Each structure stands twice: as C-alpha cells, then as structure tokens.
Amino acid sequence: MSVHLMLLLFFLLLRSAALTGSERVSEEHQLVEEGCVSGRRTGRLYCRVGIGFHLQIHPDGKVNGSHEPNWLSVLELFAVSQGVIGIRGVFSNRFLAMNKRGRLHATESFTDDCKFRERFQENSYNTYASVIHKNHRTGREWFVALNKRGKAKMGSSPRVKSQHMSTHFLPRMNLHDKSEQGFTITDKEKEKQPPPHPSKPSIPKTTINTGKRNRPVVKYWPKFRFG
C-alpha cells in the first residue's frame, strides 16, 4: 500500500470520528445523492402474498403494492454497510422508511429510518427488517410487509414475522437484460435441413397430418438470486 493511500485513509478515519450525529446523516445522504454508495441494483421487489404484488413508492410518500409492474415499482437498492441497504423509488426519488411505530412511508432525505437489514431465506426470497426499530421488550424485528390486498402492513404487528409470506420479497433485477439471460431449445431436425440453393426455385412442401403435434420452441429462463 502506498504512503499517499495510507495518509488518505487515516484522514478519512479522523474526519469520520469527528463528525456529530446530524453531520454524519447529512454526509451519508450526500453520498447517496452523488452516487458514491456501492452495490447499486435497479429492479423490482416482488412479494408473493395474495395474488402477488410489486412494492411501489409514490411521490406523496405513500407505500403499497401493485400487481402489475409499473414505473412506481422500479426501485434502486444500494448498500450502506455489510448486510444493510437502502431502497429508493426511481420515479418518486424517495427513500423507503419505517417510523418508530412500524409504519412504512417514503421520505425525501435518507436517515436511519431508511436502513434495512437484507437477509436471504431458504426459499430464495429476501426479508427486509428495520435496523433501528424493533420490539425493545422482546427483541423481535420489524419487517417490510404487504397484506393480501397490496397495502403496507405495520412492522410492529405481531403477525408480521420472517416466516410469513407477507415479508418475503423476490428481487427482480436487470429488467432490460432479460433477453441475454435465457437460452432457447429448438427442434434439431429443422436445424439439420440444408438451406435452399439460390439458383434452384423453392418448392412448397406438402404437409401431412400424422396426428403428432409439432415440437414448439421452448425458452428457459434460469432463476437467479440477487443480493
């Protein structure tokens, strides 16, 4: 490691230690706005409760779910620290937050209420628990959740647990690169047929109904885990 890099790291450590609480939050919000926070992912969070809903953030601060994907459901997930992320609505430009009562809302500024702990579940879904808000008597965490009608649930509700499907979200990232992630299986017999010679006229083929179904072209989309 070079001497200049060591001096720079030492200066940043001293500056971070000298910051007050409000200054630290302000600087963190500035990093988010300037795009200096690493681990950014853009996509949607799909909750499998009910008929299935995509988490969406409105410009007026409302948070709920929509069955059909739209612009309000396009979210940006960015890493704040190890295992802790922030969630921002791309269209609304607001951050997902949870208040001290466990209610979900969206705010313009990034604060400690906007920090969520992302955990992977055995069923390939993720859960998002508030970092600072929880039941201080029992230690039970408060999770981001939607009910079967697509409304945001109170994280402080006793029914909102990590085992319930209302707290399970599937990140659907790389929305525009879906065509590059799949592969196609076609009929091998059609691939073996040589192309027609340019000098010979093409003769229409007679189709004989043998009672067998034609083999369709099947596309497979592998399942990825993002996190």
Side-chain angles (χ1 to χ4, degrees):
M1 184 180 293
S2 63
V3 179
H4 296 286
L5 183 57
M6 292 180 64
L7 291 176
L8 179 60
L9 292 176
F10 182 72
F11 172 75
L12 291 176
L13 289 175
L14 289 178
R15 185 168 179 267
S16 177
L19 288 176
T20 63
S22 59
E23 291 175 344
R24 193 184 302 276
V25 173
S26 177
E27 185 184 62
E28 190 171 25
H29 174 64
Q30 183 179 1
L31 291 176
V32 173
E33 291 296 329
E34 294 177 357
C36 298
V37 182
S38 60
R40 290 183 179 272
R41 297 166 288 164
T42 303
R44 294 185 174 93
L45 290 179
Y46 174 78
C47 182
R48 63 180 185 144
V49 68
I51 60 175
F53 297 95
H54 297 86
L55 183 68
Q56 59 182 5
I57 299 177
H58 296 259
D60 59 355
K62 183 181 178 181
V63 177
N64 61 1
S66 172
H67 179 64
E68 297 295 335
N70 52 53
W71 285 106
L72 294 176
S73 62
V74 179
L75 309 176
E76 182 184 57
L77 282 66
F78 54 90
V80 178
S81 60
Q82 185 176 4
V84 178
I85 67 167
I87 303 174
R88 182 180 70 90
V90 175
F91 178 80
S92 61
N93 197 24
R94 286 177 175 264
F95 300 93
L96 181 67
M98 181 182 292
N99 61 16
K100 60 182 180 180
R101 296 180 54 193
R103 185 181 299 277
L104 289 176
H105 65 282
T107 177
E108 295 180 352
S109 58
F110 186 83
T111 62
D112 289 339
D113 293 343
C114 306
K115 296 180 181 179
F116 296 92
R117 197 174 304 279
E118 183 181 39
R119 291 191 179 95
F120 302 104
Q121 304 299 317
E122 296 180 355
N123 57 359
S124 299
Y125 283 78
N126 297 351
T127 57
Y128 300 91
S130 176
V131 173
I132 61 172
H133 298 302
K134 60 181 179 180
N135 191 321
H136 296 284
R137 183 174 58 86
T138 62
R140 184 178 61 84
E141 293 181 307
W142 293 354
F143 293 90
V144 177
L146 299 175
N147 63 14
K148 61 182 180 181
R149 294 181 296 274
K151 295 183 179 180
K153 300 183 70 173
M154 296 284 291
S156 56
S157 173
R159 297 183 179 180
V160 178
K161 301 179 181 179
S162 61
Q163 298 85 2
H164 198 267
M165 65 176 62
S166 63
T167 63
H168 294 177
F169 290 88
L170 180 65
R172 293 178 172 179
M173 305 302 169
N174 299 329
L175 303 178
H176 303 289
D177 299 333
K178 185 176 180 181
S179 60
E180 300 178 359
Q181 297 176 0
F183 57 93
T184 305
I185 296 179
T186 57
D187 192 351
K188 293 183 178 180
E189 296 180 358
K190 295 182 180 180
E191 294 180 353
K192 292 181 180 179
Q193 296 179 0
H197 196 275
S199 60
K200 296 181 180 180
S202 60
I203 301 175
K205 296 181 179 181
T206 304
T207 303
I208 301 176
N209 188 7
T210 59
K212 297 182 179 179
R213 296 182 178 180
N214 297 329
R215 297 181 180 178
V217 177
V218 182
K219 288 189 176 182
Y220 293 87
W221 300 102
K223 186 176 181 180
F224 295 96
R225 288 185 61 183
F226 299 91

